[in-house]
Amino acid sequence: MQYQESGRHSFMRKWLAALAGLTLALAGCSSTASSPAEPAQYPKNIIIMFADGASSTQWDFGRYSSTVLRNQPFVTTDVVFKEGSLGLLSTHPSDAYVVDSAAAGSAMSTGFKVNNAAIAVTRDGKSVPTAMEVAKAKGKRIGLVTTATVYDATPAAFSLHALSRRDSPGLVDQYLALEPDVLMGGGSDYFLPGGTSGGKRKDGKDIIAAFRAKGYQIARNTAELKAATSARLLGLFADEDMAFELDRDPAREPTTAEMAAAALRALSRDSPNGFVLLVENENVDTAGHANDAASLMHALWAFDEAVKVALDFQRRMPDTLVIITGDHETGGFSPTYALKDLSTLSSKNRFYTGDEQLRMLGRITMSLNRVKEELGRKPSGEVLDKLLAEHFPGFRLDPDLRELIINQGTRERNFTYLPQNLLGRMVARQTGYYWGTSGHTPEPAVVGAMGPGAELFRGYQDNTDFGRHLHRLIQGK
Ligand SMILES: [Zn+2]
């Protein structure tokens, strides 16, 4: 039988030829597909928006929940990730596969790997220049904003040095010496001497007074922050970490967006050489440790409002680079499908998490960390039931979890935030928002960037590459 090319075969042949051409074209532009060594342009200002503990699942949850419950776009994904340069970062420290925020922040700030818990000090004991030190040496103004304590791992790793992130009073002393133009967040405890309200310093020093003596304006609540007019600003809004959105007193503690706006106002004053600003929402990480999906959602929305402030600033000042990133994933966050109960493994007894389950999360009005505080050292069943009825409408606590909460037990060795992880499991069983751990995971961090130099962050890189790009962009060479 004579071979006759059918219409289908000829179509296939053309298609294969086209595919070969496409492959060649892609191979030809592989040098532009990975990030270039030189930026086309250098930014005057750099704003680093940092959601501690956020990786791709958290970012997508922000997008999904914002669309369904707020009927609003999530600008992190819908604007910056879509229109900007997008990349991934591997996160391992020098001494493990799983990273902590000190080592991750140090790599991103310095371009060097360090051990977990170290702040910009390599494993051979060398202090390596931080992004904020380099910026200051270049004559740029610098600012650090966080919902954590200002001496927490991320802001510390972007500016200071310590063998251990736990040296809180020492880190505060270093801030006083470094003089960041803007420093905002929680953690007034290690600025004030023991014996004064919330003070924990053993050396009797009042570091707030010392900042004031150096010409800083001090803000201790939202109204004072909004009224601030100085170019140098110290804002301390909580003794320790600032509150979750669900628990926040708006008169006392400003939002991440309000802090970002105040920081940009202060830093853009008298700044011929521009500035570098780090704005961190730490509650994304804290919610992950607690396995608290509702608090995570509100923290992501609060972060995204601050991203809008940064993008508005960039529209007015186009020589500004806006970078959105996180340092690692927290919680092994796994929205999934699951059985409704253990009566049968049949797929008929299964639900896929969706809008209905998300709405249940949306009705929660208290963070799991706050529930822990309310329960106190000896959790009582009565107080627990009352809290759940009032703040977790529609949720039922299964007997196994209830018993573990009252007896203060854990189910596994990687669930150590108690009783929050058990309450997180209660939420998971009814909504499908499960968690794999109360710790960090090695899921690559996501980085999205818009503005001059954004192209350096494209592709799959290491978190030390992020640090190296940042130094190059700050130094303008
Ligand atoms: Zn963490």
Side-chain angles (χ1 to χ4, degrees), residues 36-39 42-43 46 134 138 456 465-477:
E38 279 281 343
Y42 287 91
I46 301 177
V134 172
K138 255 329 251 188
L456 296 188
D465 294 320
F466 179 100
R468 278 196 285 272
H469 298 325
L470 196 55
H471 281 223
R472 161 166 279 201
L473 291 170
I474 292 168
Q475 285 172 322
K477 62 176 187 213

Side-chain angles (χ1 to χ4, degrees), residues 10 24 31 35 75 81 120 131 174 189 203 207 221 248 291 324 414:
S10 103
L24 281 174
S31 60
S35 78
V75 299
F81 290 0
Q174 286 188 48
D189 52 357
D203 59 8
I207 307 297
N221 57 46
R248 187 173 60 88
N291 296 173
I324 298 186
N414 63 335

